[in-house]
Amino acid sequence: GRPRPVVAVLATGTEAEAFAADLRFFLGEREARGPLTRRVHHLPGWEVPPFEPLSPAREILAARAEGFYHLVQTSDPVVVTTLEAWAQRCLPRAAFADAITYVVAGEELALETLAARLVEWGYHRVPLVQDPGDLAVRGGIVDVFPPGYGRPVRLEFLGDEVESLREFDPSSQRSLDRIEDVLLLPVREFGLSRLGPDTARAIDTRAAEIGLARQERRDLVEAVRERLVLPGIESLLPYFYDELATLADYLPKGTLVWMPAAGEMETAVELLWAQVCEHAAAAMRDGRFHPPPERLYLNPKAWRAALEGRPRVEVEALDVLAEGSVHVQTYSTDLLALRPTTPGGEGPLAAVAARLTAWMREGTRPILVASSENQRDRLRVLLSAHDIEAVSSSAAFPQAITAPGRKLLLLTGELTHGV
């Protein structure tokens, strides 16, 4: 059938990253330079404790922006996210749309207007651009490292015209290939203009409600009034917008929600909410500002409501549902002995080779994945010593498995586990 948008919700960030990496491998998605060419995206939560004076890392915010963008702008993204991200409120869709900057070579655009807009949405002005979210301005040149790109981009201005766009090497700072356009996603979930006197008054009211000490209250309100970005300022998000959105609000119509271990998720949701409430109580005890928990996080009832009415697959185990369907089975090699079982044994790969041979006798075609071509080629030599003839391929997984033949197949790629 026609591809459709998919959101996979995993319990933790580690599981989500591994799941996204494996999906990229099995879909044959090579590492691409631009954000518009990928289909699989990892959209994390903030990954900082609730209501603590800690801000998410810029790479986390960049990954979130890339995920949001593909949910609202591309036709069939696969977004892998976490239970925390699904439960966390975020900037509204309209605000996110306003934060996106798209620049085309040859267009009229004032250099300082572009630089100010990028600073507004979280880019850091630095002498040399090296990391995602960096911005440097010198003469008629703007260097910027946007989320989703493998390399930073150099915009050369002639007056108020974008004369050219080029990728460049952050190590040598040398310009590389010319490109026609660049997508500049935000690296913060609020613009600096959201801070100011009106927001300061709302925060002052909440500070009075929770009995914040006079000096802490005055310092916080003054910082917001002066548009200073403090560590942990993301906790103030409910005061920057009239109403926050949730990840569910970004989902295109007909998005399929994939949820492995759905039964365990129910317990995890309750535990997450209990932790949010505990952190709010700790902030109250410590005299730290915090919004009401439900204004920044979904409680379990609201979490479930966000799933209602959506097509979803709740996976406890994968079964073959019909005869004649494609059957793929993965095995972990972790438990196979990689050492001789007896003195003078047949070498460290003997046990693995025996298992591979047994699988092939059963009619299965094993596929081994190495992390580099050198490792792949060395593995072919080692297996040949055990009378196993293997075929190496540089093709992506979907293309490689269509090649004729039944010999063991050796591929390169990032796969977290399995054979």
Side-chain angles (χ1 to χ4, degrees), residues 42-116:
H42 173 222
L43 196 164
W46 284 346
E47 297 189 0
V48 292
F51 316 124
E52 295 281 345
L54 298 169
S55 286
R58 271 196 294 170
E59 54 266 29
I60 292 291
L61 295 172
R64 286 173 60 80
E66 189 180 338
F68 289 145
Y69 174 81
H70 283 275
L71 286 173
V72 298
Q73 293 291 342
T74 57
S75 59
D76 56 353
V78 177
V79 174
V80 182
T81 189
T82 64
L83 182 150
E84 176 197 358
W86 187 270
Q88 185 183 308
R89 298 186 190 273
C90 55
L91 79 168
R93 280 185 58 151
F96 179 75
D98 289 342
I100 297 170
T101 304
Y102 182 63
V103 181
V104 180
E107 76 168 282
E108 293 287 323
L109 177 64
L111 183 153
E112 284 303 330
T113 299
L114 175 63

Side-chain angles (χ1 to χ4, degrees), residues 38-245:
R38 288 193 290 263
R39 187 182 177 205
V40 179
H41 309 274
H42 173 222
L43 196 164
W46 284 346
E47 297 189 0
V48 292
F51 316 124
E52 295 281 345
L54 298 169
S55 286
R58 271 196 294 170
E59 54 266 29
I60 292 291
L61 295 172
R64 286 173 60 80
E66 189 180 338
F68 289 145
Y69 174 81
H70 283 275
L71 286 173
V72 298
Q73 293 291 342
T74 57
S75 59
D76 56 353
V78 177
V79 174
V80 182
T81 189
T82 64
L83 182 150
E84 176 197 358
W86 187 270
Q88 185 183 308
R89 298 186 190 273
C90 55
L91 79 168
R93 280 185 58 151
F96 179 75
D98 289 342
I100 297 170
T101 304
Y102 182 63
V103 181
V104 180
E107 76 168 282
E108 293 287 323
L109 177 64
L111 183 153
E112 284 303 330
T113 299
L114 175 63
R117 179 170 171 76
L118 295 177
V119 170
E120 162 85 1
W121 284 100
Y123 287 79
H124 289 199
R125 289 189 75 150
V126 294
L128 290 176
V129 166
Q130 294 183 314
D131 300 310
D134 282 352
L135 166 71
V137 179
R138 61 186 187 284
I141 295 175
V142 173
D143 286 348
V144 61
F145 204 147
Y149 283 76
R151 291 182 179 137
V153 176
R154 178 162 291 152
L155 297 84
E156 297 179 336
F157 284 76
L158 183 62
D160 285 346
E161 179 186 335
V162 182
E163 186 179 28
S164 70
L165 300 171
R166 293 180 182 274
E167 293 184 332
F168 70 92
D169 184 335
S171 299
S172 66
Q173 297 289 306
R174 289 179 57 236
S175 296
L176 300 170
D177 300 333
R178 185 185 289 264
I179 58 176
E180 293 302 314
D181 51 27
V182 62
L183 177 71
L184 302 170
L185 297 176
V187 284
R188 193 161 49 211
E189 292 185 40
F190 61 91
L192 283 177
S193 58
R194 290 281 168 178
L195 283 67
D198 291 344
T199 305
R201 280 192 290 273
I203 288 172
D204 192 33
T205 299
R206 171 63 177 170
E209 285 177 7
I210 61 177
L212 203 64
R214 182 179 300 175
Q215 187 61 49
E216 282 78 3
R217 176 178 169 185
R218 184 185 298 118
D219 291 346
L220 176 61
V221 170
E222 188 61 24
V224 172
R225 183 178 288 116
E226 296 298 322
R227 296 188 167 94
L228 301 178
V229 177
L230 303 172
I233 195 171
E234 288 74 16
S235 289
L236 305 182
L237 207 62
Y239 304 96
F240 299 157
Y241 299 101
D242 293 335
E243 186 174 352
L244 294 178

Side-chain angles (χ1 to χ4, degrees), residues 318-403:
L318 290 179
D319 298 310
V320 178
L321 301 179
E323 289 299 322
S325 60
V326 174
H327 180 67
V328 177
Q329 190 164 2
T330 64
Y331 301 86
S332 172
T333 57
D334 296 345
L335 299 181
L336 291 178
L338 294 177
R339 58 185 180 276
T341 54
T342 60
E346 299 177 7
L349 276 181
V352 174
R355 193 68 185 94
L356 292 171
T357 300
W359 282 330
M360 288 188 286
R361 284 175 181 158
E362 294 166 6
T364 299
R365 185 185 193 184
I367 301 169
L368 300 185
V369 183
S371 60
S372 70
E373 290 187 359
N374 285 341
Q375 287 186 343
R376 181 196 65 194
D377 295 342
R378 174 163 171 72
L379 186 56
R380 186 180 70 246
V381 172
L382 291 172
L383 290 172
S384 67
H386 293 272
D387 298 323
I388 296 178
E389 189 176 353
V391 176
S392 295
S393 173
S394 297
F397 179 78
Q399 290 74 44
I401 62 174
T402 61

